[in-house]
Amino acid sequence: MSKLIVKKAAVLGAGVMGAQIAAHLANADVPVVLFDLAAKEGDKNGIVKKALDGLKKLDPAPLSSKSKLKFIDAANYDEHLAQLAECDLIIEAIAERMDWKNELYAKIAPHIAPNAIVASNTSGLSMNLLAQGLPAEVSPRFCGIHFFNPPRYMHLVEIIGTEKTNPATLDALETWLTSRLGKGVIRALDTPNFVANRIGVFSILAVMHHTQAFGLGFDTVDALTGPKIGRPKSATYRTADVVGLDTLAHVVKTMQDTLPNDPWHAHFNVPAWLQLLIGQGALGQKTRCGIFRKQGKEIQVLDLAAQDYRPSAGEIAEEVAAILKVRNPAEKFAALRASSHPQAQFLWAIFRDIFHYAAVQLENIADNARDLDLAMRWGFGWAQGPFETWQAAGWADTAQAVAADIAAGKAMSSVPLPAWALEAGRTGVHAAEGSYSARKNSYVPRSTLPVYQRQLFPERVLGENAATPEKSGETLYENDGVRMWRLPTVDAGIGIISIKSKMHTIGNEVLDGVIAAVRQAEGTLDGVVLWHEAPFAVGANLQQVSEAIAAGEFGLLEQTVEKFQRASQTLKYAQVPTVAAVQGMALGGGCEFVMHAGKRVLALESYVGLVEAGVGLIPAGGGCKEFAVRAAAWAAQSATPGEVFNFLQPVFQTIAMAKVAKSAQEVIDYGFAQPSDTILFNANELLWVAIREARAMADAGYAPPPMARAIPVAGKNGIATFEMMLVNMKEGGMISAHDYKVAKAAATALCGGEIETGSLVDEEWLITVERRLFVELLQDPMTQARIKHMLETGKPLRN
């Protein structure tokens, strides 16, 4: 297979999707030229420049760092088409109009490089028809590449070949998208709306149909179709608002126009009330009014009966809520079917019709059931795909129930279930040998592309013969908090330390385990990787802290803090390399572990920060100490060695404001990681890469850094300068008296305590200062109230 190397890319179309696709390419350090029409007035690149300016304002941020904008050049079709000759990948992302796309293809054809891949980011137009607009020599290198919005965050990319696409082109593109951009790639068939949108939009239409049939409110339906059934918080109608009601209507219209023979075609239209909203310009989130709207602080929902908005409540009936809490899926679905409550009947109806639709359409839209299920997970945020849900609920009984409803005329279509779904003895579509393909009438294993060998524990579907980290490898050490294990088939000399606690909180048992595991590794292994599935660690075990406070055991708490500092120092000064493999949240003590590791491998979507101020504390697992040490090192490389205060200012703001880095690049920018650390876009590759990083460090003769001594500190003058800032903020009403106290404690720890400016100290001194201040804050009733509030509500208390 030829390797795809993208030295430069082009994106044609600077609309919402095009600009954000360009942003994600820039996140991966790929230089990209973003094209659009020449502006009629002023700067001809005005349309693109406006789009680029908009990228800096969007939330969630499409850029991992605003500095990534330097990778994007603005261009227009009138003046800059010649630049396409330098591009290895050209992604067309203009409006969903076949004629407009063909017109653009005619313009770019003379400028396409001989080996460049050309792809359309269409969400549902026929790729074979689009291919006709390109020269014959480009056809083998043309395909569909359907990103989901927003491109940085949505894992799914569908790639769609044509009858003439070279298979090697698709293999190379899938490999590059998987590893370089971090995507989950599904090979879709060239059918309208492809896989995820075909199933997902039908699911929305089914919900709308049954909302009306059972007379439910939109807010009630969203309460029922969100996390309670494994769907995103935005559920159904909020999702429609976020996508845009006009966009949803357009996608539905595409299904209506292009799928005349679909047995559900009669349902491929949007309700009259939705058309009315669109006609009134109430398009959802982008117009701040749609099915939902916000009036002041109140969320309101459209009430069709009253033809007006009312406060959103979204209450689930008690008996239905009880059914949804049933853990056994077979029992849960049986209870939904048996219940006479409209909400329960509604839920069974939407599941029944999605099972029905997915089974009938499987052979037409996807190679196999696994691709369909993963597409719904990655593209729509479902916890399970429809076939997984069906299989978990008991395949045979559910199939018979669906068939009975079809026969009784209760389903949205009278088309029967396909014969394979009703086969005697069938227990599902996912099994150890692979997933069922209706097209091939056989089970299909996973892709064997070499890129997937980098994923030691890929995301699996229910029923696969899936290895889990908890039951894999050889255990070398274990206590109640951590397990150290290894994968001999990957590298027998590298241990993997995995935290076992819920959300990977760090309590006494974890601290004991980390220290013991590293000590054992020093004698028997070549290196260790600190890894487990996300989140990395959400901080100290506040429940343990709260219980110790209630018992007045402040001496014990101080011992625990000292142990935490010792665990961090153990990671930093281990005689073997320690590599932190980070994805998701690494907060508070989790961040301190990250900071003290010998090296970090960071998934792009890593959210790292010292957030102790939120509970009235300061970092005391070595976090303040480490920043004081680093400030001294940064100052030593400046024109004024020894003057550390300027280097502490941004650090102080980060700690006092409990800032959290929202990408791996920001983790480095904030100083929680080093510029030499590795950023990966695909979190499934973290363990594979981290093991190799540890091996490379060991093979290069790793030795821990020398213990920092003679560290110049900002001392009294630094504390006084920070205090002046805090006084102004307090008097201006920006912070409370307790915020002031906590921030001053952080300043004192960072400045090395109340000693003379420029004094030289060692790490032990700095650790002792931060520990003393931390324990003093623990004894403050205001901090105790913050801890209690966080445990009870999950939110910070601003007292």
Side-chain angles (χ1 to χ4, degrees), residues 147-487:
F147 288 85
F148 278 67
N149 190 24
R152 170 183 162 185
Y153 301 95
M154 295 305 292
H155 191 53
L156 178 63
V157 169
E158 295 172 321
I159 58 175
I160 310 97
T162 72
E163 295 170 355
K164 297 181 179 179
T165 306
N166 187 333
T169 296
L170 297 177
D171 287 348
L173 184 60
E174 179 173 349
T175 297
W176 188 82
L177 287 166
T178 299
S179 203
R180 187 66 182 273
L181 294 192
K183 295 304 174 186
V185 177
I186 295 296
R187 301 278 186 101
L189 304 179
D190 189 20
T191 55
N193 285 0
F194 310 129
V195 181
N197 274 350
R198 183 74 174 272
I199 299 297
V201 173
F202 173 79
S203 177
I204 292 172
L205 290 173
V207 168
M208 288 182 171
H209 172 79
H210 291 300
T211 299
Q212 182 177 353
F214 288 97
L216 302 179
F218 299 136
D219 51 342
T220 298
V221 168
D222 271 11
L224 290 165
T225 60
K228 297 289 186 185
I229 61 168
R231 307 281 170 83
K233 288 182 180 179
S234 56
T236 302
Y237 290 107
R238 285 184 188 275
T239 295
D241 272 350
V242 171
V243 169
L245 302 185
D246 54 338
T247 302
L248 174 62
H250 174 79
V251 176
V252 173
K253 184 69 163 58
T254 299
M255 293 176 72
Q256 186 181 65
D257 292 345
T258 58
L259 295 167
N261 298 320
D262 190 300
W264 284 263
H265 186 266
H267 297 284
F268 294 167
N269 52 68
V270 296
W273 60 263
L274 195 148
Q275 288 285 18
L276 183 61
L277 284 177
I278 294 171
Q280 294 172 344
L283 306 179
Q285 186 170 280
K286 57 189 172 185
T287 61
R288 300 186 178 182
C289 183
I291 300 168
F292 291 89
R293 72 178 185 185
K294 192 173 184 180
Q295 293 289 94
K297 293 185 177 181
E298 183 179 72
I299 302 297
Q300 298 182 338
V301 63
L302 181 64
D303 187 316
L304 294 183
Q307 295 189 340
D308 200 356
Y309 288 85
R310 60 168 172 78
S312 177
E315 295 181 355
I316 300 177
E318 287 186 14
E319 69 176 85
V320 177
I323 293 173
L324 292 176
K325 290 178 181 177
V326 175
R327 295 197 173 189
N328 183 297
E331 293 176 7
K332 180 185 300 183
F333 273 86
L336 287 174
R337 292 196 300 271
S339 173
S340 60
H341 196 285
Q343 292 183 9
Q345 287 298 298
F346 163 83
L347 285 172
W348 163 244
I350 64 170
F351 277 111
R352 174 198 64 214
D353 287 320
I354 198 67
F355 295 160
H356 188 192
Y357 192 77
V360 170
Q361 298 298 351
L362 176 59
E363 67 175 310
N364 301 317
I365 65 174
D367 177 69
N368 59 75
R370 178 181 53 250
D371 285 356
L372 191 150
D373 277 346
L374 289 179
M376 296 312 299
R377 284 201 203 174
W378 297 341
F380 278 75
W382 292 11
Q384 288 185 322
F387 289 125
E388 290 180 283
T389 305
W390 184 349
Q391 187 163 328
W395 186 276
D397 287 347
T398 303
Q400 291 299 325
V402 172
D405 276 8
I406 295 170
K410 295 180 180 179
M412 291 171 66
S413 171
S414 61
V415 65
L417 280 173
W420 62 261
L422 294 164
E423 285 175 347
R426 178 175 289 281
T427 57
V429 290
H430 304 303
E433 62 266 35
S435 292
Y436 183 73
S437 170
R439 295 165 61 82
K440 301 169 184 173
N441 191 27
S442 63
Y443 282 78
V444 177
R446 283 188 171 246
S447 170
T448 57
L449 283 177
V451 70
Y452 293 115
Q453 294 174 13
R454 296 166 60 92
Q455 300 185 14
L456 300 180
F457 297 98
E459 188 173 342
R460 300 283 180 167
V461 292
L462 180 79
E464 276 190 285
N465 189 16
T468 62
E470 296 77 13
K471 296 182 179 180
S472 296
E474 175 190 350
T475 299
L476 303 174
Y477 166 85
E478 190 167 16
N479 73 348
D480 290 341
V482 307
R483 173 189 178 224
M484 183 168 72
W485 51 293
R486 63 181 169 189
L487 290 168

Side-chain angles (χ1 to χ4, degrees), residues 672-738:
F672 300 130
Q674 304 293 338
S676 58
D677 288 329
T678 300
I679 295 176
L680 286 179
F681 276 52
N682 197 318
N684 289 325
E685 298 180 352
L686 266 181
L687 182 57
W688 189 89
V689 172
I691 288 172
R692 277 153 180 76
E693 292 275 17
R695 168 52 59 198
M697 293 167 73
D699 288 350
Y702 177 81
M707 183 79 73
R709 305 178 189 279
I711 306 160
V713 295
K716 293 179 180 178
N717 290 350
I719 296 168
T721 306
F722 281 133
E723 201 164 5
M724 283 192 295
M725 295 167 46
L726 294 172
V727 167
N728 291 333
M729 293 175 72
K730 180 184 172 186
E731 290 182 351
M734 299 170 65
I735 61 174
S736 69
H738 195 56

Side-chain angles (χ1 to χ4, degrees), residues 659-670:
K659 285 186 178 179
V660 175
K662 295 181 180 178
S663 73
Q665 185 59 55
E666 284 192 354
V667 174
I668 293 172
D669 294 344
Y670 283 16

Side-chain angles (χ1 to χ4, degrees), residues 785-797:
R786 289 191 179 189
I787 292 172
K788 184 173 184 291
H789 190 268
M790 178 63 76
L791 285 170
E792 290 175 350
T793 69
K795 297 178 182 179
L797 172 67

Side-chain angles (χ1 to χ4, degrees), residues 5 282 399 412 638 664:
I5 298 174
M412 291 171 66
S638 72

